[in-house]
Amino acid sequence: MANNKNNIKVERAPFEYNGKSYFDYFICGNIRGTDVKIKVGPPDAKDKGGYTVLDIVYGNEDKADFITEPYEFTNGEGKKVTGEKFLVRTVDKETGEVFECAVKPVRKSDKTLLSMLMKQ
């Protein structure tokens, strides 16, 4: 069952690098009185196509819902593995079609901050 944790939104903002336009994807929040900006990106940093998928999910929007989905599987050694995967999701206003893409925190500090934010 998917969950929109605390109604968290993932925002995007344009930036330029070497004369080309790109987007940063981030979650803004406040943890114990400190404003934080948590960067997220495609699950595989080497797969630049992940950013194309994110562009399609966002369409003309600058915000998307942050969704968590629990997972569970048994690995090759017979151990049960559980956790949560993170998604961004939008719904087309005209057709009702759902677009979503997996994301993950970019840096270790982003992972820690996201964990703190989700516990509030």
Side-chain angles (χ1 to χ4, degrees):
M1 179 174 114
N3 184 12
N4 185 346
K5 288 275 189 180
N6 302 325
N7 204 24
I8 295 173
K9 298 288 184 186
V10 179
E11 301 177 48
R12 75 174 181 172
F15 71 94
E16 285 197 28
Y17 179 73
N18 286 340
K20 292 186 179 182
S21 293
Y22 302 94
F23 284 102
D24 262 339
Y25 297 87
F26 54 90
I27 297 168
C28 290
N30 188 288
I31 302 169
R32 298 184 81 185
T34 301
D35 290 332
V36 295
K37 188 174 181 178
I38 304 164
K39 290 184 73 167
V40 297
D44 182 358
K46 294 177 184 176
D47 179 10
K48 300 305 177 199
Y51 287 99
T52 301
V53 176
L54 281 169
D55 289 342
I56 292 169
V57 169
Y58 276 78
N60 293 323
E61 302 295 321
D62 289 328
K63 291 185 180 180
D65 291 325
F66 176 73
I67 307 294
T68 61
E69 275 189 0
Y71 65 83
E72 180 179 311
F73 65 91
T74 303
N75 68 14
E77 299 170 0
K79 287 188 176 184
K80 186 172 161 182
V81 178
T82 62
E84 288 182 314
K85 68 179 179 176
F86 306 130
L87 306 166
V88 292
R89 179 181 294 160
T90 59
V91 178
D92 187 284
K93 292 174 183 162
E94 293 179 16
T95 66
E97 186 175 359
V98 175
F99 293 88
E100 65 183 23
C101 174
V103 293
K104 72 173 189 173
V106 172
R107 303 172 296 240
K108 287 182 183 181
S109 59
D110 294 317
K111 182 177 180 179
T112 302
L113 290 169
L114 181 58
S115 177
M116 289 178 185
L117 185 65
M118 289 173 52
K119 290 178 183 174
Q120 297 190 98

